[in-house]
Every structure is written in structure tokens, then in C-alpha cells.
Amino acid sequence: MVETTQQRVEQRQPEPLGDWRRYFSFCVDHKVIGIQYLVTTFFFYLLGGALAMVIRAELMTPGAELERSLYNGVFTIHATIMIFLWIIPTLAGFGNFLVPLMIGARDMAFPRLNALSFWMIPPGGLLLLSSFFVQSGAAGAGWTSYPPLSTQQVQVGDLLVTNFGQVIWIASVVFLGTSSILAALNFIVTIVAMRTEGMELFRMPLFCWATLTASCITLLGTPVLAGAVILLAFDLLLGTVFFNPTGGGDPVVYQHMFWFYSHPAVYIMVLPAMGIISEVLPVFSRKPIFGYKAIAISSMGIAVLGFLVWAHHMFTSGTPDWLRMFFMVTSFLIAVPTGIKVFSWLGTIWGGKLELSSAMLFAMGFVSMFVVGGLSGIMLASVPVDIHVHDTYFVVAHLHYVLFGGSVFAIYAGLYYWFPKMTGRLLNETWGKIHFALTFIGFNLCFLPMHQLGLQGMPRRVAEYAEQFQSLNVLVSIGGFLLGISTLPFLFNAIYSWLWGPKAPANPWRALTLEWTTASPPPVENFEYLPVVTAGPYEYGTVGSSPEGDTPTAISQPKS
Amino acid sequence: MQSPISSNDAAMSQAIGHGDGHGEHPDLRMLGFTLFLISEGMLFVGLFVAYLTYRAAAPAWPPAGTPELEKILPAIFTVILVASSGVIMLAERALKHGDMGQFRLFWLLTTAMGTIFVAGQAYEWMHLEFGLKDGLFGGTFYVLTGFHGMHVVIGLLLQAVVFFRSFKTNHYTPASHFGVGASSLYWHFVDVVWIFLFALLYII
Ligand code: HEM
Ligand SMILES: [Cu+2]
């Protein structure tokens, strides 16, 4: 135990993240785990992106280049990776790195559980990818895996065999789901019980509110998804008839269970992203956030309402009229808390001293693209429209505006904003802006025309399409390739800057949240002394802080 | 692979007691475990609702030609399981008074009652005249009781671990006994789930 004191002195050194080997170990430091999440998931993002390039190459021509079942596998695994191995866990990565720092804690509530949640992700991901190599081929019924399509046997040569790729998909989803449940309960306990002195709930940075809310959704929703896919596995492997209409079962029950999770899951994917935006906008507008409480509470509103809209994905599944009415109205209602957030962000930048850094550009990109996706969402939520465009490219356009234009833009904003804190190095801003420009143009070129394709009736998830759709599809594919290329400047920038970039000061953006009161990167124990918080996190340019030199209002003072 | 720094972390986390319950921080593990059980509960809620949907949509339930379910024996086992929830509370009370002997006695009794329940379940499974593949009725029956039975078995394993650990001196004290509290809460959870399940499958 004599050693312990010695070690503690060592850990006070501000450069503890130097040893790269810890990133490959079962390390329990939340900052290491956060970076492990971010790097691993980015790797999966690149894989998912490569699959998207395959899809866009295939869709350059109306005919089928790839074998059909392979094409099915490609878009299914693309979506599954993007949702379960990129957006959801990468946001958990931000949460891991940031939440303890933001609330003034030394670590998460359960550090070992935290490391376990992370270490479930690489095997879960590899398991999913392995499905390309089984005899039956990868799961090919889409990320929604509706039966009876997903439970059908597949033809291999002359034989009909069990769809083993689908079984792998199920195992992987259950595995990754468990990981995210464990992470979620860790976030909840950390936020509820580990806040430093003076960090009242309504003084928490909005990112913490968003993570708290998203974690509640994960905790309540994910087990239902697990239930659905486990029943699916019984049908596949053991010959039960839960979702098999020929044996008396009902495939629609699967859809209900699936969407009971998967609609709320879109908020798991966007609420923390919105949290990132609420951090970035005030800093680069030098203004307090507009409507702090409204944003915090509207997250909760979205979470509650989010559990009451799921059947808007099932308007054409034989859902009775009165139920369609109900789900149409609840879906419209979601626009209210969502709108509150959007107007609060606009109010935040309105009249601010905007600094158009890369992080800010991506944040503003988020707000504008998310609005487009929200509007197409409202269109889809109205039954008469949805009946026409369900399962067309219009839905694909909608979901990419909210998930790419929304979540992914926010993730980039967060990476540019917190990179100096995480690595102790500054990213190159010029390359950041090039990255933004390419992404913004590529994104809109890729996904805007999809609205029109959908309205004209081009179905999603097919490799072959009618001749008249070709010119728009070529445009979409060009946008898609541009989007693929746009990742490169970011990758080079990140790798180069991490190794050789200029050293970052503790608070390069003059931000007020607690993570900026400690060194970049923070020492192992986060804060030399736990800070005591005396004011809210967004008091930019207000009395007592000069606009040129806002200093964090939380004062670090000795605390046992 | 354990890097030198991460073992420092372990020392660190002990030194500042990351909510491990051994430092100055309050024990947060019970809160975490409760959240986990809420999540588990949602798994059962999902399955229950699916079951009710099937029932509501079926023209007749149980479907015509399904053999009658024996009710008396399952009812007896239900009483035993529910009673064991009370016994485990007695065990916890004994622990709070520092009476380890009584604690172990009641704890073991709980495990014995749980084992009887599982044995009863196994007996019933072996004597039913329908199988997993016999339509929705058979499928839902086996999956629901099977899922629950799995949880009972996990609960019993937890109890066994706690039982053996209770022989280490001062492993559980009247003030600190997360393992006991958690496995006891888990047991109540398993019990409540069964009450719902029994009502769904056998009564209504
Ligand atoms: C204003 C709020 C929103 C409304 C009213 C809305 C409505 C809808 C509706 C009705 C559909 C079903 C379309 C169909 O299949 O026919 C849909 C699909 C989808 N939405 Fe939204 N949405 C909203 C926001 C979001 C957000 C914020 C996200 C994610 C961050 C999201 C992600 C998705 C996804 C992934 C799908 C496609 C699911 C599939 O693969 O079938 N939506 N949306
Ligand atoms: Cu939805």
C-alpha cells in the first residue's frame, strides 16, 4: 500500500495518456474507454461506408451487377453497422469521455462494467461481419429483418438451408444491445449520483441531459428488441410459429415489437447528438444557450412521446384505421418538442458573435439538415402520404437527413470541438473546413434527389430499377462517392494532428463547461481538486465575464 | 493484456473509491442493479404483451383440441416460490441483526424452495402433452416458462455464491452486504414475474 501513494503522485502528471498500449487493454479509465469507443466505431463507420459505396456502384445502372442475395446482404449489413456499431456506440463514446468530466466526477460509477460494455463491441461487430462468410450468406432482410422474409430458408446450390446469416445477425444484435444497456445504466447512475458539489440537475450541461434521457430509452426499449429477435431465432432454429402465418403465427407482432424499440431508438441516435449541438452553438456564438430548461425538458418530452408513435412505421401493415389515426396524431405531436429545440438553437445563434470554426459549421449544418429531415418525417407521419411513399426512396431520404445530416454531422461537430481535450492536440481548421464543404455538398447531392425518386415510386432495397430513374440515381451515386471521399481529409487531419498537431491549451475555445477547467488531455483523476460549481454552464458574455476572456465560472478549490 | 497504467487505475479507483462501495462514496451498486432489473423487466413485459396479442387475435384460447393444463400442482409450486420470497427477507433480517447462523439457515431454505420450484417446473414440462412446436399455444407456453425458469436458475446460482461467500469472515456484515441485497432483490423480481406469468398462463 506504500506504492499507492507513490502511484498517486505519478498520476498527477498531466500527460498520462501517453502510453498507447492502454488503448488495447481492459483499462477502466473512462477517458481511455471513451476514446476506445470513438476509434473503434469510426473503424466500423468506414466499413459501413465502404458497403454504401458498393450499393451506390450497383445502383449506377438499372440492371443488377451483383448477385441479388449479395446485394441484400450488403444493404442489410450496411444499415446494421451504421446503427448498432457506429451511431449508437459512438455517441456512447462521447458520453464516456465527457459525462464524468462535465459533472465533475473522477470516473463513471462502475468503471469495470464500463470497460466490459466497450469490450463487447469489437466481438459483436466481428460476429456480424462473419455472416458474409457463412454458406447461407449474410442476413438479407434489411436492418428491420421482418419475418417471414427473414425466417425463410435460403437456397444454396440445390439445397434449402436454414438462414444462418440471419441467426448471426440476431446474436450480434442481442450482444450489442446488451452492451448498450450496460452502458446506459452506468450513465444513469453516474449522472444521478456522482455530480460534484453545486452541480444541480439544472446546472448540468445539456449533453448530460441528453445522455441521461437517451440512456433511459435504451434501458426500457432495448430489451423489447431483444425479445423480438429472440422469438425470431426460435422460429428460425427451432421451428416455432410465432411469426409464421402458415402455422397460426403473426408477422405483424414482430413489427410491433421491433418498432417499439426502433422508433425510440432513433432518439437514442439523435438526442445525444442534439446534446453535442447544444454545447457547440453557445461557445461559438459567445451567448448563453437560449431556453436551457426548455431544451432539457423537451428531451424528456421526446423520450416519453417517442414510446407512443411506433406504429407510424406500420401504416401499410394492415393497422386498423383508428390506430393509424392515433399514431398519426402522436407522431405529429413529436414535432412540438423537436421544434422547441430547433427554435432554441436559432435563438442561441441569433445576434451572436459567430465564430465559424469547423465544429460550428457542422453544428449549423446539423440544425439545417435536421430540419429538412424533420419536415419529411412529418410528411411521412401523415397516413395518406405514407401509403404512397412507404418503402420508397422517400423514406431513405428522410432517414439519412436525420441520421446523417443530423447525427453524423453532430458527431463531426463533437469531434472537432473535443479533439483538443481528448488528445491534447489541435486539429487543422483549414482541412476541417474542406471536410465540411465536401461533406455538405456530397450529402445533399446524395440524399436530396432521393426525395424525388421516392415520390416517383422507386422502391427501396432493390438492386434493379426502371430505366427512367437512372439519371437521378447517377447523380445520387456521384454524391455518394463524394461523401465517401469527404471522409479522407478528416482521417488525415485526425491522424496527423493527433501525432504532430500543435499542442492544445486547456481551454482553446474559451468554453465554460467543466471539462475545459482541467488540462488537455485531462489527468487520470480528471481534476486535481474536484471543482465546486457556482453557476450554470453557458453564461457567455454575461455580467461578470468579459466577452474577450470568459473564464469558467466553476472555481476549483480544495475539496477532500 | 493489462498495461501498467491500467493497473494503476485499479489502485486509483480503490484509492478514491469509484462507487465501488468500499470508499467514501455511497454504494451505488444497488441502484445500478435495480436499473438492470427494470431493463430485464421490460423483456418480460415485451413477451407478455406479445402473448396477450396472440390471445386476443386467436378465435379461441386455448385453441380447440389443446389438452387441459394441470392447475393444482403448479399452484402449489407457486405458493412455495412466493413463500420463499418471504423466507429470503427473514434471512436478510437475520443478517442485519448480525446473526450469521440464522441467516444461512433461512438463505439455504430459500434456495431449497427455489429448487423445488424448478424441479416442479421440470416435472410439468416432461408430462405436458404438447410441445414447443405445437402452434402458438405450445410456443408461448414453453418460451415464457422457459425464460422465467432460466431466471430462477440464475437466481439460485447467485444464492449459492452468496451462501459460500458468507463463510468468509466479515464478507457480509450488517452494514455492507451488496451480494445479499442484490440476489435477494433479484429473487423478488423473479417471484413477481412468476405471479404475472402464472396468472396469464393458468388463470385468465
Ligand atoms: C419530426 C419527427 C419525425 C417524424 C414525424 C418521423 C416519421 C417517420 C415515419 C412516419 C417513418 C416511416 C416511413 C415509412 O416507412 O413509410 C419514418 C422512418 C424513419 N425515420 Fe423518422 N420521423 C421523425 C424523425 C426521425 C429522427 C429524428 C430519426 C433519427 C434520428 C428518424 C429515423 C427514421 C428512420 C431510420 C426511418 C426508417 C426506418 C426504416 O428503415 O423503415 N426519424 N420516420
Ligand atoms: Cu419512427
Side-chain angles (χ1 to χ4, degrees):
Chain A
M1 278 297 117
V2 184
E3 281 165 32
T4 317
T5 35
Q6 205 184 341
Q7 281 165 351
R8 286 186 80 180
V9 176
E10 272 170 27
Q11 280 151 5
R12 291 273 151 82
Q13 308 300 318
E15 190 71 341
L17 296 181
D19 189 341
W20 57 272
R21 275 178 309 176
R22 61 195 328 224
Y23 292 108
F24 295 89
S25 70
F26 193 83
C27 179
V28 294
D29 181 336
H30 73 99
K31 298 181 290 301
V32 173
I33 295 172
I35 291 172
Q36 285 175 324
Y37 262 104
L38 291 172
V39 173
T40 311
T41 53
F42 202 87
F43 180 71
F44 281 113
Y45 176 47
L46 294 177
L47 278 174
L51 293 175
M53 297 301 102
V54 175
I55 296 173
R56 284 325 312 175
E58 163 65 60
L59 294 178
M60 290 282 281
T61 55
E65 254 47 71
L66 296 174
E67 218 184 307
R68 289 174 186 173
S69 60
L70 180 60
Y71 180 79
N72 293 345
V74 168
F75 72 72
T76 301
I77 304 298
H78 157 76
T80 312
I81 287 182
M82 290 306 195
I83 289 170
F84 292 109
L85 288 158
W86 160 237
I87 296 187
I88 293 180
T90 215
L91 291 169
F94 277 105
N96 261 299
F97 190 92
L98 293 170
V99 165
L101 285 167
M102 283 180 157
I103 61 172
R106 298 217 185 265
D107 206 319
M108 297 279 286
F110 310 112
R112 261 160 296 173
L113 188 69
N114 201 17
L116 180 70
S117 322
F118 167 72
W119 280 106
M120 292 180 79
I121 289 176
L126 293 179
L127 181 66
L128 182 69
L129 291 174
S130 73
S131 69
F132 274 116
F133 305 102
V134 295
Q135 195 194 23
S136 62
W143 80 282
T144 50
S145 286
Y146 278 6
L149 186 60
S150 56
T151 47
Q152 259 161 20
Q153 297 191 309
V154 286
Q155 184 103 28
V156 176
D158 295 333
L159 287 173
L160 273 179
V161 297
T162 301
N163 190 345
F164 201 62
Q166 192 68 48
V167 178
I168 292 179
W169 182 90
I170 291 170
S172 161
V173 165
V174 171
F175 204 66
L176 296 169
T178 310
S179 153
S180 72
I181 290 176
L182 296 180
L185 79 84
N186 214 339
F187 284 132
I188 297 177
V189 177
T190 306
I191 293 174
V192 168
M194 309 258 298
R195 300 190 311 278
T196 189
E197 203 178 319
M199 180 58 78
E200 294 150 18
L201 274 181
F202 281 107
R203 270 187 195 160
M204 286 198 310
L206 286 164
F207 178 77
C208 298
W209 271 103
T211 302
L212 178 64
T213 317
S215 300
C216 292
I217 302 177
T218 305
L219 200 75
L220 297 177
T222 316
V224 179
L225 173 73
V229 297
I230 287 170
L231 293 183
L232 197 64
F234 271 98
D235 276 9
L236 261 166
L237 290 172
L238 298 175
T240 50
V241 293
F242 296 116
F243 306 132
N244 179 352
T246 55
D250 186 355
V252 175
V253 172
Y254 174 86
Q255 297 186 16
H256 278 295
M257 293 178 85
F258 181 85
W259 288 115
F260 181 82
Y261 163 77
S262 290
H263 181 84
V266 308
Y267 298 111
I268 298 173
M269 292 186 264
V270 88
L271 284 175
M274 292 171 158
I276 293 175
I277 298 307
S278 302
E279 300 303 324
V280 172
L281 288 180
V283 174
F284 294 104
S285 311
R286 309 315 297 164
K287 273 184 65 198
I289 189 116
F290 184 90
Y292 171 90
K293 274 200 179 174
I295 295 185
I297 291 171
S298 63
S299 296
M300 292 288 175
I302 288 182
V304 173
L305 270 178
F307 275 109
L308 299 173
V309 302
W310 76 87
H312 66 209
H313 295 272
M314 302 166 57
F315 286 150
T316 59
S317 306
T319 310
D321 275 338
W322 60 273
L323 258 185
R324 296 205 290 197
M325 263 315 255
F326 173 82
F327 282 106
M328 176 166 88
V329 172
T330 52
S331 303
F332 286 160
L333 282 180
I334 289 247
V336 176
T338 313
I340 290 178
K341 279 175 189 288
V342 171
F343 284 114
S344 299
W345 292 323
L346 293 181
T348 304
I349 55 179
W350 187 268
K353 277 172 63 179
L354 300 200
E355 181 192 334
L356 295 181
S357 63
S358 311
M360 182 65 168
L361 288 172
F362 272 106
M364 287 165 53
F366 168 96
V367 177
S368 43
M369 295 302 96
F370 183 77
V371 167
V372 177
L375 290 177
S376 57
I378 294 292
M379 292 171 72
L380 288 169
S382 42
V383 179
V385 179
D386 186 65
I387 288 172
H388 290 283
V389 294
H390 175 64
D391 264 347
T392 69
Y393 263 81
F394 193 84
V395 178
V396 181
H398 160 69
L399 76 92
H400 284 91
Y401 265 85
V402 281
L403 283 179
F404 198 116
S407 307
V408 178
F409 272 48
I411 289 166
Y412 278 137
L415 288 174
Y416 280 100
Y417 181 57
W418 282 295
F419 190 88
K421 182 53 63 186
M422 291 172 177
T423 63
R425 307 269 183 174
L426 292 169
L427 280 170
N428 181 300
E429 275 293 312
T430 312
W431 281 105
K433 282 168 194 163
I434 295 173
H435 173 216
F436 172 74
L438 288 177
T439 310
F440 193 80
I441 296 169
F443 169 78
N444 281 294
L445 204 56
C446 183
F447 297 111
L448 195 63
M450 283 186 185
H451 290 105
Q452 191 179 346
L453 282 172
L455 290 174
Q456 289 174 352
M458 176 169 164
R460 63 194 284 205
R461 292 175 176 164
V462 282
E464 290 144 285
Y465 55 83
E467 297 276 347
Q468 81 252 31
F469 298 132
Q470 187 171 13
S471 46
L472 277 177
N473 266 295
V474 171
L475 197 63
V476 168
S477 287
I478 292 172
F481 297 139
L482 188 59
L483 208 45
I485 293 168
S486 77
T487 325
L488 301 179
F490 173 75
L491 261 185
F492 290 130
N493 194 355
I495 295 172
Y496 182 89
S497 304
W498 201 338
L499 296 173
W500 299 293
K503 289 252 189 279
N507 190 1
W509 317 118
R510 295 179 296 133
L512 295 182
T513 37
L514 288 185
E515 75 272 27
W516 303 105
T517 61
T518 186
S520 303
V524 173
E525 75 278 24
N526 287 353
F527 302 96
E528 201 170 340
Y529 298 106
L530 283 182
V532 176
V533 181
T534 53
Y538 304 111
E539 312 285 318
Y540 297 99
T542 51
V543 200
S545 64
S546 76
E548 295 315 315
D550 286 327
T551 44
T553 36
I555 31 170
S556 294
Q557 63 180 46
K559 191 192 167 222
S560 56
Chain B
M1 161 162 77
Q2 187 89 350
S3 84
I5 298 178
S6 68
S7 57
N8 280 1
D9 291 345
M12 187 72 213
S13 77
Q14 276 215 328
I16 57 174
H18 285 307
D20 272 9
H22 301 300
E24 320 97 77
H25 281 292
D27 194 338
L28 300 177
R29 288 175 298 177
M30 212 55 197
L31 177 58
F33 193 71
T34 311
L35 289 174
F36 179 74
L37 287 185
I38 291 176
S39 201
E40 280 257 38
M42 282 305 291
L43 177 63
F44 281 104
V45 169
L47 293 175
F48 287 176
V49 173
Y51 169 78
L52 286 172
T53 315
Y54 286 137
R55 270 184 79 149
W61 195 272
T66 316
E68 262 302 301
L69 270 180
E70 222 280 313
K71 287 196 177 122
I72 310 289
L73 219 48
I76 294 172
F77 291 129
T78 303
V79 172
I80 293 177
L81 186 69
V82 174
S84 75
S85 242
V87 177
I88 206 168
M89 279 160 85
L90 292 179
E92 268 191 293
R93 210 173 61 186
L95 178 63
K96 277 182 192 140
H97 293 152
D99 186 344
M100 288 310 280
Q102 208 182 41
F103 164 74
R104 288 190 199 105
L105 182 71
F106 282 129
W107 197 261
L108 211 54
L109 185 59
T110 311
T111 313
M113 291 163 91
T115 312
I116 293 176
F117 176 85
V118 175
Q121 193 85 332
Y123 175 85
E124 205 198 345
W125 271 29
M126 286 186 306
H127 289 82
L128 286 176
E129 288 160 42
F130 53 84
L132 177 68
K133 289 194 212 175
D134 286 331
L136 284 177
F137 187 82
T140 50
F141 182 89
Y142 281 100
V143 166
L144 287 172
T145 54
F147 250 101
H148 176 263
M150 202 173 80
H151 281 76
V152 181
V153 171
I154 293 172
L156 292 175
L157 293 176
L158 288 179
Q159 287 170 11
V161 172
V162 169
F163 182 74
F164 287 114
R165 284 197 180 162
S166 77
F167 287 100
K168 291 196 212 164
T169 12
N170 279 338
H171 195 84
Y172 300 117
T173 63
S176 152
H177 46 259
F178 168 71
V180 172
S183 41
S184 161
L185 185 65
Y186 188 83
W187 198 245
H188 296 315
F189 168 77
V190 164
D191 198 1
V192 171
V193 170
W194 178 256
I195 293 174
F196 279 102
L197 202 51
F198 184 73
L200 285 177
L201 293 178
Y202 293 91
I203 301 178
I204 59 169

